[in-house]
Amino acid sequence: MVTYRLILKNEKRKFYKSFSVFILVMNALAICLFLYYLPQTTAQQVTGIIAAVLAISVIVYREKMVGRRHTDTGIYEVMVALAVYWAFIGYWWVAAGVIALAILYRIANRAPEVKITDHHIIYPSFPGRTIQWDTLNNVVLKDGLLTIDFRDNKLIQQLLDPSAIVSNEHEINEFCRERLKKD
């Protein structure tokens, strides 16, 4: 079975990272305020404040230093750790919110990959969309632009990730043309 994998350009990735760093900073501030306003200060409270500020500072610093490249800075792991901390101190609803944001971050930050197979095309929406060949008029890959033309006059056009542009465009187009002739 022939399978072609095309990585689409994720144009909102930088926004998602910035928003996630904002969520982490807000969590650190909330933890600091929470620990500051407790009636008595203990070593655990001071340790919690220092750990929260240090974790968020490292993430923000790394984002500023390597912000132009799409690197994994551990945002997801820090979000999960913050959720565990909120659950540990008894704020389950905050922990659930942070876990939900961490899951959404993980989903939004994945590499959107189109899979073209003999039987169908899997398009990376949420949830994943399976497109059967008999619902298509045409599928064309040209100069890093994937065009999927449906029989009901719908059209999907997406740019491929510049770092993952394929060199076998002609081969993919021929494969798609053959599949469309069969259906």
Side-chain angles (χ1 to χ4, degrees):
M1 182 165 112
V2 177
T3 301
Y4 294 102
R5 298 175 189 278
L6 306 172
I7 305 296
L8 301 177
K9 187 174 181 181
N10 191 348
E11 295 173 346
K12 295 183 181 181
R13 191 173 197 169
K14 187 175 178 182
F15 169 75
Y16 295 146
K17 273 194 172 185
S18 299
F19 185 72
S20 297
V21 170
F22 173 74
I23 295 295
L24 293 176
V25 170
M26 290 294 107
N27 267 281
L29 290 174
I31 289 171
C32 291
L33 288 173
F34 174 77
L35 295 174
Y36 179 77
Y37 283 110
L38 284 177
Q40 65 223 17
T41 303
T42 64
Q44 275 185 327
Q45 292 170 335
V46 173
T47 305
I49 291 173
I50 291 171
V53 169
L54 270 175
I56 303 308
S57 298
V58 166
I59 293 293
V60 171
Y61 175 75
R62 283 192 67 191
E63 277 299 305
K64 290 295 180 189
M65 296 308 287
V66 293
R68 289 177 186 85
R69 289 182 263 142
H70 297 301
T71 58
D72 186 14
T73 58
I75 292 174
Y76 178 76
E77 290 79 7
V78 173
M79 285 180 140
V80 171
L82 284 169
V84 168
Y85 179 78
W86 282 113
F88 181 72
I89 63 174
Y91 286 88
W92 297 98
W93 60 276
V94 177
V98 172
I99 286 289
L101 288 172
I103 290 169
L104 289 173
Y105 173 74
R106 179 68 95 181
I107 290 168
N109 206 33
R110 67 181 154 68
E113 180 181 65
V114 175
K115 294 178 188 170
I116 301 173
T117 68
D118 289 331
H119 305 293
H120 53 265
I121 297 174
I122 299 174
Y123 188 77
S125 57
F126 181 76
R129 181 176 178 186
T130 301
I131 303 169
Q132 300 300 326
W133 285 105
D134 61 354
T135 63
L136 298 175
N137 275 334
N138 202 5
V139 177
V140 177
L141 179 61
K142 176 103 169 113
D143 297 330
L145 179 68
L146 176 66
T147 304
I148 303 173
D149 182 16
F150 292 86
R151 288 189 177 161
D152 60 357
N153 291 331
K154 291 182 185 176
L155 188 70
I156 295 176
Q157 285 190 316
Q158 287 279 290
L159 289 172
L160 297 184
D161 188 355
S163 63
I165 289 184
V166 294
S167 61
N168 55 352
E169 284 184 3
H170 181 69
E171 181 182 329
I172 293 171
N173 287 331
E174 283 300 317
F175 173 78
C176 292
R177 216 172 282 123
E178 290 297 319
R179 288 301 308 143
L180 289 168
K181 284 181 186 177
K182 290 181 182 178
D183 291 323

